[in-house]
Amino acid sequence: MNNEEAAQTPAPESMGPANPHEAAEPVAPADAVPADAAPTAPDPSDTVPADAERGPVIEAAEREVTLQRSVRYGRLLIGGAVLGAVVAAIASLLFPVEEGAEYTMAQAVGFFAVLGAAIGLCIGGVVALVLGLVARRQRGVGIAVQSDVR
């Protein structure tokens, strides 16, 4: 192929202009609106709610709070009762039952377990009150951050 034939054959569209120094014609995008066209109202089905466009709103507030320790009274009372019952039941097993007694070993262990539980409950209550007084003295101040997310 010589130079004359190359100049006469049209260049394919995908390769661009035959002469790279030659400017290509501007092409308008497919969705371009002519300048003289009147603006149209947006389609309501295409709009997105304002809440969906922006992220969550976080409001944070700092407050000064008083921190105070407290005792869990129920746990101390139950712990004292269980410990008292176990100690009393083991202690009752250390003493043998006489031959002609009107009670059995199981009855003696049960009776002393109930008695020990009552004594342990009282001791657990006293310990809880003392620990409550000690814990009440230890107060502190802190900053709490309250975050509301909407």
Side-chain angles (χ1 to χ4, degrees):
M1 204 159 51
N2 59 19
N3 288 341
E4 286 179 30
E5 289 178 8
Q8 291 177 358
T9 55
E13 295 280 329
S14 64
M15 293 178 59
N19 187 356
H21 299 292
E22 187 178 340
E25 291 182 29
V27 178
D31 61 344
V33 179
D36 59 342
T40 59
D43 186 16
S45 63
D46 292 341
T47 60
V48 178
D51 294 342
E53 290 179 1
R54 56 188 170 122
V57 177
I58 300 174
E59 296 177 8
E62 292 185 0
R63 296 186 180 154
E64 187 173 309
V65 294
T66 303
L67 303 174
Q68 180 178 344
R69 292 180 169 232
S70 65
V71 176
R72 296 185 181 228
Y73 293 100
R75 289 185 181 184
L76 286 171
L77 292 173
I78 291 172
V82 168
L83 186 64
V86 169
V87 168
I90 292 173
S92 67
L93 290 173
L94 298 176
F95 300 102
V97 177
E98 296 179 10
E99 282 289 324
E102 296 180 10
Y103 55 88
T104 64
M105 178 62 93
Q107 290 174 334
V109 169
F111 175 74
F112 281 112
V114 170
L115 187 62
I119 293 171
L121 186 70
C122 292
I123 293 173
V126 170
V127 168
L129 288 175
V130 170
L131 288 176
L133 291 174
V134 170
R136 191 170 293 164
R137 292 182 190 167
Q138 298 176 354
R139 291 185 180 176
V141 178
I143 303 265
V145 178
Q146 178 181 359
S147 298
D148 294 328
V149 180
R150 293 184 195 157

